[in-house]
Amino acid sequence: MKKNRAKILAYPYMVWMIIFIVIPLFLVLFYSLTKGNIHDPSSLSFSLESYARVFDRNYLTSIVKSFKLAFISTLLCFFLGYPVALIIATIKAKYKNILLMFFLVPIWMNFLLRTYAWMSILSPNGFLNRLLSFLGLPALSIMPGQTAVLLGMIYNFLPFMVLPIYTVLSKIDKSVLEAASDLGANKIGTFFKVILPLSVPGIVSGITMVFMPAVSTFVISRLLGGGKESLIGNLIEEQFSLYRDWHFGSALSIILMIVILISMAVMSRFESDNDNGGAPIW
Amino acid sequence: MVKFLRKFYMSLIFIFLYAPIIVLIIYSFNESKSRGHWGGFTLKWYAELFRDREIIKALYYTFLVALLSSIISTVIGTFSAIGIHNMGLLGKKFALNINYLPVLNPDIVTGIALMTLFISLNIQLGFVTMLISHVVFNIPYVILSVLPKLKQMNKHTTEAALDLGATPAYALRKVVIPEIMPGVITGALIAFTLSIDDFVISFFNTGPGVTNLSIHIFSMARKGVKPSINALTTLMLLTVVILLLLINKRTTKGDELIP
């Protein structure tokens, strides 16, 4: 009886969600499927033109590039971040908090400031090139360019890979590891047959948490790529704030959204399979 | 050997994490405006930072929006979570799935979708739209941190309160809310930090004259260097480290008390 009454508390939010979550997404879908003047509803007509434009060579290159860069940065974050998570999870308890804290300080700083910091290092007359010329080495031209964008992505998103893996690793029952070594597994065997499989849920959420912001970013590519490294995020941003072409911008957003939602669904299936999978593969 | 490798690897990672910040801190005391040249020690960029009206205004809006949006979304989110918790299976699934959309969607999609809504409704973009957009992406996180606490709660406690003559509102205030308080606080903190750090959603949903810190840094960084940003970085780093050290000290003290 009480149950039925308490659910009324959610009704205002249901209305809120429909206005501010559902309708805006439908508006985006609507604009992606029409053409005409956005400020004159009578001029709008159904059209798939915006989706066709996505296959234009220039745009397709940017889209492919954003997936490529996001993929590479996720992979690098994984290989760089897994050992970090493992080290923090296995270090002596008295150092753990302080190590974790200093690992997290940079992400507590403003995201824009962190990216700006790399600009001061990598720009043509920045810190790195000053240092190199001081050492008598030739200058590098990393920024603007893809390497700089990749570095920026890894720098900004590495903690998102480390944290979920660390959380899962620190929850692993120590007796499982002891059992493995009692049963004759060496350290490497224990790692690949026990620790790694047990940390899959953390790896999966780490991958999604890095890949998603990386594929949709427009800040990192703008600031460190200097406008030459346009990604899908830059294309969307330009359509809305520069060219006022909502139709094309909406089509790009819908494509980005669908790709991300599909990959999330695939990833979460992978994760839950592992949770209730019963007999593990090894 | 393994121990050495672990230390070596962690040192490399920490150099990678801190190098850019340290470089900015050094530059913040650099007399010369050019990035590569050391012109002597100075504090003038700090003075300039505090004289910079634009930065002060951006800071003001950043904190105002973070404070207001986290309070509003904590209140709405907590009550909505209680409501959702008491819904039927189907309704609950439906509500949670929609609630999850702003979490799953890339920020840029949430940002442009809201902007499309505001402009279609002829609402002038500015402070109010920025605040609404922050509330929109904050509430889901509050709900997601309150719901687990509601699930953990013994449902008979509320029933007992009602049987003993408490009105539903009184039971909510005296029994449910205290029980889920840790989740509410976590939700409020997440909302506040997300709001302070947000760039993308604010960027699309703000109007002329209203910027937050992120937007301001973005527009400055595009134009070129301004050494007062370096000073700002140093001050922010200092604040973060002091805050975290305080929290860390408090929690470790708490740990010692328990055993």
Side-chain angles (χ1 to χ4, degrees), chain B residues 22-71:
Chain B
I22 289 169
V23 168
L24 282 199
I25 293 177
I26 296 171
Y27 283 153
S28 79
F29 298 111
N30 185 2
E31 174 80 42
S32 153
K33 196 175 175 171
S34 108
R35 264 194 273 223
H37 178 71
W38 180 255
F41 181 86
T42 180
L43 286 175
K44 71 175 176 193
W45 306 121
Y46 289 85
E48 192 171 285
L49 176 70
F50 290 111
R51 274 200 308 269
D52 191 327
R53 283 262 175 81
E54 292 288 310
I55 290 186
I56 301 294
K57 210 169 97 185
L59 265 174
Y60 165 76
Y61 279 123
T62 308
F63 278 97
L64 189 66
V65 169
L67 200 66
L68 289 177
S69 74
S70 55
I71 292 172

Side-chain angles (χ1 to χ4, degrees), chain A:
Chain A
M1 185 197 81
K2 197 244 156 194
K3 246 187 163 33
N4 288 337
R5 253 201 276 160
K7 75 177 181 193
I8 297 172
L9 287 173
Y11 290 171
Y13 184 53
M14 300 293 270
V15 177
W16 170 279
M17 283 200 293
I18 289 169
I19 298 174
F20 291 112
I21 299 176
V22 178
I23 292 179
L25 290 177
F26 272 104
L27 273 175
V28 173
L29 183 67
F30 170 76
Y31 283 118
S32 77
L33 290 168
T34 50
K35 62 175 182 183
N37 181 1
I38 47 167
H39 295 295
D40 176 15
S42 59
S43 75
L44 294 175
S45 61
F46 175 79
S47 155
L48 288 173
E49 222 170 72
S50 304
Y51 286 98
R53 267 178 80 192
V54 171
F55 295 97
D56 185 298
R57 239 191 98 112
N58 287 332
Y59 300 131
L60 208 56
T61 320
S62 294
I63 295 169
V64 171
K65 193 194 277 172
S66 42
F67 281 96
K68 189 185 90 183
L69 288 182
F71 179 76
I72 298 174
S73 63
T74 310
L75 209 66
L76 288 172
C77 277
F78 172 70
F79 284 114
L80 287 172
Y82 200 98
V84 176
L86 197 62
I87 291 171
I88 301 181
T90 52
I91 206 163
K92 281 192 201 118
K94 63 172 171 176
Y95 299 127
K96 192 181 276 183
N97 267 348
I98 201 90
L99 198 63
L100 200 59
M101 191 196 104
F102 276 102
F103 186 74
L104 291 182
V105 165
I107 65 162
W108 274 77
M109 306 246 312
N110 187 288
F111 167 67
L112 269 294
L113 278 182
R114 278 179 279 154
T115 310
Y116 170 79
W118 276 101
M119 286 176 76
S120 327
I121 291 192
L122 298 177
S123 67
N125 56 357
F127 182 79
L128 183 67
N129 279 339
R130 286 276 159 175
L131 191 71
L132 288 175
S133 79
F134 180 75
L135 297 171
L137 296 165
L140 294 170
S141 58
I142 297 176
M143 189 198 125
Q146 275 193 27
T147 319
V149 176
L150 262 179
L151 254 172
M153 285 180 175
I154 295 169
Y155 185 74
N156 277 305
F157 306 136
L158 182 66
F160 298 146
M161 180 65 83
V162 172
L163 274 186
I165 297 178
Y166 161 76
T167 315
V168 174
L169 285 178
S170 60
K171 278 185 191 148
I172 291 179
D173 193 345
K174 294 284 171 296
S175 51
V176 178
L177 305 182
E178 282 161 20
S181 83
D182 285 351
L183 292 170
N186 58 12
K187 280 201 163 151
I188 296 171
T190 313
F191 176 75
F192 281 105
K193 302 241 164 168
V194 182
I195 300 178
L196 195 61
L198 282 176
S199 58
V200 166
I203 298 174
V204 170
S205 51
I207 290 176
T208 25
M209 282 173 75
V210 172
F211 186 80
M212 209 179 69
V215 78
S216 61
T217 186
F218 69 91
V219 179
I220 300 176
S221 43
R222 168 64 59 80
L223 294 184
L224 296 171
K228 279 191 294 183
E229 303 296 331
S230 246
L231 302 182
I232 186 166
N234 299 85
L235 292 182
I236 296 176
E237 187 254 327
E238 283 162 7
Q239 304 315 314
F240 282 94
S241 56
L242 201 64
Y243 304 125
R244 311 262 162 216
D245 186 347
W246 285 17
H247 304 292
F248 185 45
S250 298
L252 288 166
S253 309
I254 293 287
I255 289 172
L256 179 65
M257 203 175 112
I258 289 174
V259 172
I260 282 182
L261 291 183
I262 289 176
S263 46
M264 295 270 232
V266 173
M267 291 295 265
S268 71
R269 168 171 300 235
F270 185 54
E271 186 177 19
S272 60
D273 272 2
N274 212 282
D275 273 351
N276 7 316
I281 329 138
W282 72 88

